[in-house]
Amino acid sequence: MSSLIMRFQINFNSHSLGTIYVVVSFRFLHQSSDSSPDPETSPAMKNRHLSSESDKFLKEFYIPEYIIVPGGKVEVVSEAPKCPTIVFINSKSGGQLGDQLLVTYRSLLNQNQVFDLGEEAPDHVLRRLYLNLENLKLNGDELAAKIEKQLRVIVAGGDGTAGWLLGVVSDLKLSHPPPIATVPLGTGNNLPFAFGWGKKNPGTDHGSVLKFLEQVLEGKEMEIDSWHILMTMKSAPKDGSCDPIHTLELPHSLHAFNRVSDTDEHNVLFRGGFWNYFSMGMDAQVSYAFHCERKLHPEKFKNQLNNQRTYAKIGCTQGWFAAPLLHHSSKNIARLMTVKIMERHGGWKELKIHDSIRSILCLNLPSFSGGLNPWGTPNSKKTRDRTLTPPFVDDGLLEIVGFRDAWHGLLLLAPKGHGTRLAQTHRVKFEFHKGAADCTYMRMDGEPWKQPLPVDDDSDTIVEISHHGRVKMLATQNCISKSVHAPSTPRQQEEEDDADDSENEDFTPSGEEWRKFGAADTFKVGEDVDFSRLS
């Protein structure tokens, strides 16, 4: 008697549900001993060997259920996992890719360590997890202590989703904050690209996920600067053609704090934060038009390549490629606002901006608009660049870059192309001129909005950005982001001594409104929020 093994792959709704092995027996009347298959090389033995290796690998990420679910039955684990991992997935991102990734991760790991962000907010999950870890440690659970120190987080979604998780971890003020790896499921995917995770939507099959987990296991921790943004803005203008701004139209990382005064019904104080960039002008206008189109017709935005083509088309229709002809000069940055910067020593000083600049960008990471580097690498031999440094992600400095139009932006495609370098600064403030325009466009870490501007003498719109601290990211070994403290980074001793001056009292605002930003308290997403808005 011998057996013939046949393999069938079952697919349901594009999700691989598993592999079924069907054994069909045949009786051979004349079978020589030489024709018998070698059991060590048979398909069944090979698959069993591969499954064993895969199971051994996945144990390095596995978190026992009682660690995640309070009150669960304690499991005896012979050895602590090297890389215990919590996974958050935005099932609305990447068309159907988010849903498919959710199925794959839950089939590979403990289902209770993989969360759909559409069902439960990350601050609730992490608060519950770390509270349980503390209770277990108090009861002498050594595994809980090891998992807390080794824990890593994977977040699958666009830049907005990744920023949400960064804000949550930042606000929780953990003694051992977990580094975060990002799976690119958005259109731009600047955060994942900056840390080596790529910018193309990933595969959702088991092999692709296992490969990503291998990179997570081998990844390195990097600290990056986080930036606090405080905005005094008009939420309901008395007149003018611009519609009142609705708080739900703002980025998820920007939330109302309080009114400027009890008698002021129009000026509201908002605070929030970003990790990659904040921009204003025509680039944000194109992004806003794309966002509105996607909101109206979500069925047309299921493919990353098509999304990028649509983005380019909207850029043309918005006049970004013919800005001198179609963009009124009154909306140029210098006409709209006064820009002030604060360097390491001294007070505010005005930043001179050429009248042709139509878009201004405050950049923290070397990745913008799908992986481009607007700052480039300044040439220390050139007089105008001697005081500028490369864009380190943890030096407490923002790179301020300007663009005239989309053609100027296309210079970034050249090997040494860059925008107009305006300044590197620890703090920057934008003071809008009254009556210059009824609105402008802003964008923060991929999320755009249309901002009303003052049209009379009774209101002001001011945007102030300052260094807030640092958060941990998980990066691949060959990522493009660079640390000022890396051994291979040439740095003068004087610059190293000043690297942490951004925490100096002279440059850190005081008061309750400045203490923190993020998700645990300020990234609250109400039940009426359309979660698909988060890229």
Side-chain angles (χ1 to χ4, degrees), residues 191-493:
L191 269 167
F193 182 74
F195 295 97
W197 306 108
K199 57 184 177 180
K200 294 183 178 180
N201 292 161
T204 60
D205 58 286
H206 284 199
S208 298
V209 170
L210 288 172
K211 186 177 180 180
F212 187 88
L213 288 174
E214 185 177 358
Q215 289 183 296
V216 170
L217 182 63
E218 298 173 352
K220 61 180 180 180
E221 294 185 16
M222 289 186 70
E223 284 195 330
I224 67 168
D225 294 318
S226 59
W227 296 91
H228 182 280
I229 182 168
L230 191 65
M231 306 181 68
T232 304
M233 62 175 64
K234 177 175 286 190
S235 61
K238 297 176 183 177
D239 48 28
S241 61
C242 190
D243 295 330
I245 188 171
H246 195 286
T247 55
L248 292 182
E249 293 298 320
L250 291 171
H252 288 76
S253 54
L254 189 66
H255 291 265
F257 179 66
N258 62 358
R259 295 191 183 280
V260 175
S261 68
D262 294 335
T263 59
D264 192 340
E265 299 179 355
H266 300 283
N267 281 350
V268 179
L269 187 66
F270 289 82
R271 75 158 185 246
F274 66 93
W275 289 265
N276 191 7
Y277 67 87
F278 171 84
S279 69
M280 283 185 287
M282 281 209 74
D283 75 292
Q285 179 179 332
V286 174
S287 179
Y288 181 76
F290 174 85
H291 162 72
C292 291
E293 183 70 16
R294 182 172 59 181
K295 189 176 181 180
L296 287 173
H297 306 286
E299 70 282 356
K300 297 180 181 180
F301 294 83
K302 299 294 186 181
N303 179 276
Q304 186 185 39
L305 183 59
N306 287 339
N307 291 355
Q308 292 168 346
R309 288 172 178 167
T310 303
Y311 200 100
K313 180 180 178 181
I314 290 175
C316 293
T317 58
Q318 289 288 316
W320 190 211
F321 283 89
L325 298 175
L326 302 177
H327 183 79
H328 198 279
S329 60
S330 64
K331 295 187 177 182
N332 291 2
I333 297 301
R335 303 279 188 94
L336 276 178
M337 69 192 80
T338 298
V339 183
K340 296 180 179 179
I341 61 172
M342 183 180 288
E343 298 179 338
R344 293 187 187 278
H345 306 289
W348 292 106
K349 72 174 186 179
E350 186 174 341
L351 180 65
K352 299 297 182 182
I353 297 177
H354 194 274
D355 191 57
S356 64
I357 298 297
R358 298 177 178 86
S359 179
I360 191 166
L361 171 66
C362 303
L363 191 69
N364 185 42
L365 304 179
S367 180
F368 176 73
S369 191
L372 302 176
N373 183 358
W375 184 255
T377 303
N379 189 338
S380 60
K381 295 181 180 180
K382 292 184 179 180
T383 303
R384 62 183 177 86
D385 287 349
R386 281 178 184 167
T387 60
L388 304 178
T389 71
F392 301 114
V393 299
D394 56 355
D395 58 358
L397 292 173
L398 275 176
E399 283 70 45
I400 313 296
V401 186
F403 290 98
R404 297 186 299 273
D405 51 30
W407 298 110
H408 188 192
L410 289 178
L411 289 175
L412 302 181
L413 299 175
K416 296 183 180 181
H418 58 85
T420 301
R421 300 186 185 111
L422 299 174
Q424 282 180 307
T425 181
H426 293 278
R427 288 175 69 181
V428 59
K429 180 162 58 177
F430 304 96
E431 299 175 348
F432 290 86
H433 304 316
K434 294 179 177 67
D438 57 359
C439 68
T440 189
Y441 296 87
M442 301 182 181
R443 182 164 55 147
M444 193 159 65
D445 280 354
E447 294 189 87
W449 75 98
K450 188 177 182 179
Q451 175 58 47
L453 293 178
V455 294
D456 51 45
D457 293 332
D458 298 330
S459 58
D460 295 304
T461 297
I462 298 174
V463 178
E464 187 171 340
I465 300 171
S466 60
H467 190 261
H468 181 74
R470 293 185 177 91
V471 294
K472 285 185 180 180
M473 291 293 294
L474 196 65
T476 62
Q477 297 297 328
N478 58 347
C479 71
I480 62 171
S481 294
K482 303 299 179 185
S483 169
V484 70
H485 303 293
S488 59
T489 301
R491 194 72 166 168
Q492 295 179 359
Q493 184 63 41

